[in-house]
Amino acid sequence: MTEVGNDVAKAAELLSRGLLVAIPTETVYGLAANALNEPAVLRIFEVKARPRFDPLIVHGADQDRLSTYVKDFPNWASTLAARFWPGPLTLVLPKKDIIPDLVTSGLSTVAVRVPLSPLTHELLLQVDFPLAAPSANPFGYVSPTTPSHVLDQLGGHIPYILNGGECSVGIESTIVAEESGKIHVLRLGGVSVEEIEALVGPVTIGGIEGSAPGTLKHHYATRTPLTLGPIDPLTVDTQRTGILSFQKRYPEIPLEHQVVLSPEGDLRKASSYLFAAMRHLDALGLRKILAEPFPEVGLGRAINDRLRRAANAA
Ligand code: AMP
Ligand code: MG
């Protein structure tokens, strides 16, 4: 059965034996395995039902330790790492052979990150290997931001969940890569594009041809069909629609069918509650969920990205 606790030594011991442990990070809960142990990594793909063409992010305690697994930290990468690590930023860099191809889906690069979470930091210091960890949820569903989200979906499939409470950022990391001297943001996330551009100049948002399978269009999906669009209480079937709004509450719609992410208009706060709100509305058993588009600035871009993908799956 699955135990939930804050015993870092126990988590380290399970991981050393090739077992999986769910770990807290500031972004979302991760489903971790020893990244250097292929059978353990394979188990991640099995438990999540994740396609093997979708590469994993490798987590380390600091940049120095991650240097063991990548060929080099070029200037742009060191600049971003110095500013945002530990934090919600993932860097794609040429990998060393020690990282199994299974982790990178056969790519010559590996995605690396230093997460910000006291328990996970302590865990990464205790083990002598890096942790491969995608989000701790079945592939395609909304990512978990609390231990109970993990337990709901993976309970019985993993021995241990390291309990670090609620994730403070609540949305996945921003993934950055370089090609022919150009910086690309492959996935919008917890560090905004504006913050990255302030350090490395203009970036391209989107994939690099022939590199990663990229981030899939259908993802982060609720079981209840979700649509993204303006909320007009006059045209909504108010009894059967869940409403996800940024700041505004709608008196015409039953209170219990609405989640307002941040009445004061704080995009950081809104993104930290986004996935929990999607799960909450999904559990109400309604006909559909209607989410309003967020401002296309700062973390609002990452929120819109997740909502768009959830809507694509509907
Ligand atoms: P997650 O599902 O949050 O663990 O994030 C994994 C995502 O990181 C993958 O779906 C890819 O989009 C991206 N990724 C991982 N490794 C690489 C890589 N070597 N090159 C490009 N993107 C990568
Ligand atoms: Mg995921």
Side-chain angles (χ1 to χ4, degrees):
M1 276 302 103
T2 303
E3 195 188 326
V4 183
N6 53 16
D7 186 344
V8 173
K10 174 167 183 156
E13 188 260 332
L14 291 166
L15 289 162
S16 303
R17 282 167 42 207
L19 299 174
L20 304 189
V21 172
I23 56 165
T25 80
E26 77 283 28
T27 60
V28 303
Y29 271 74
L31 180 61
N34 173 353
L36 309 181
N37 177 335
E38 280 196 62
V41 173
L42 194 56
R43 183 91 184 108
I44 293 179
F45 287 94
E46 286 169 5
V47 167
K48 276 185 65 83
R50 180 177 174 112
R52 295 239 220 129
F53 60 73
D54 197 3
L56 305 177
I57 295 173
V58 170
H59 299 72
D62 48 46
Q63 183 179 345
D64 197 42
R65 268 159 229 253
L66 286 173
S67 303
T68 315
Y69 309 109
V70 300
K71 287 203 171 129
D72 168 43
F73 273 87
N75 279 340
W76 65 269
S78 292
T79 302
L80 292 176
R83 168 71 181 80
F84 298 113
W85 280 354
L89 174 80
T90 294
L91 301 173
V92 174
L93 299 168
K95 83 174 188 77
K96 284 189 185 152
D97 290 343
I98 183 172
I99 296 291
D101 287 338
L102 180 62
V103 170
T104 64
S105 303
L107 296 168
S108 60
T109 52
V110 61
V112 292
R113 178 167 108 81
V114 176
L116 172 68
S117 151
L119 284 183
T120 293
H121 182 71
E122 183 52 39
L123 174 63
L124 286 165
L125 290 174
Q126 283 192 21
V127 294
D128 59 359
F129 45 79
L131 295 176
S135 54
N137 56 282
F139 184 72
Y141 194 71
V142 182
S143 301
T145 55
T146 69
S148 64
H149 292 164
V150 181
L151 199 58
D152 284 349
Q153 292 188 302
L154 300 185
H157 297 279
I158 55 175
Y160 200 63
I161 299 173
L162 194 57
N163 183 356
E166 281 179 25
C167 301
S168 59
V169 173
I171 201 159
E172 291 84 354
S173 59
T174 303
I175 303 180
V176 182
E178 186 242 24
E179 191 194 54
S180 330
K182 284 218 176 86
I183 307 292
H184 294 249
V185 168
L186 301 183
R187 175 176 73 188
L188 297 164
V191 174
S192 71
V193 170
E194 292 89 334
E195 289 174 289
I196 290 169
E197 289 190 325
L199 290 182
V200 297
V203 302
T204 307
I205 300 175
I208 294 172
E209 200 145 335
S211 85
T215 40
L216 303 170
K217 279 212 171 70
H218 308 250
H219 217 59
Y220 311 105
T222 46
R223 280 184 255 288
T224 313
L226 182 146
T227 49
L228 184 58
I231 295 164
D232 176 0
L234 294 178
T235 62
V236 168
D237 175 358
T238 57
Q239 296 306 314
R240 291 192 287 187
T241 307
I243 296 291
L244 186 59
S245 91
F246 181 24
Q247 294 183 259
K248 197 171 158 204
R249 198 171 287 290
Y250 295 86
E252 306 85 343
I253 297 170
L255 211 61
E256 63 275 19
H257 293 177
Q258 302 183 51
V259 178
V260 182
L261 284 176
S262 174
E264 66 280 25
D266 181 340
L267 287 167
R268 270 183 202 281
K269 209 171 240 179
S271 51
S272 74
Y273 297 136
L274 176 69
F275 290 146
M278 287 167 73
R279 281 174 183 260
H280 170 76
L281 291 171
D282 202 15
L284 297 178
L286 297 169
R287 188 63 75 76
K288 67 181 216 169
I289 296 169
L290 176 58
E292 74 177 348
F294 282 64
E296 268 290 313
V297 292
L299 294 197
R301 292 204 229 190
I303 295 176
N304 285 334
D305 170 79
R306 302 306 187 269
L307 290 173
R308 237 175 266 129
R309 285 174 216 257
N312 271 331

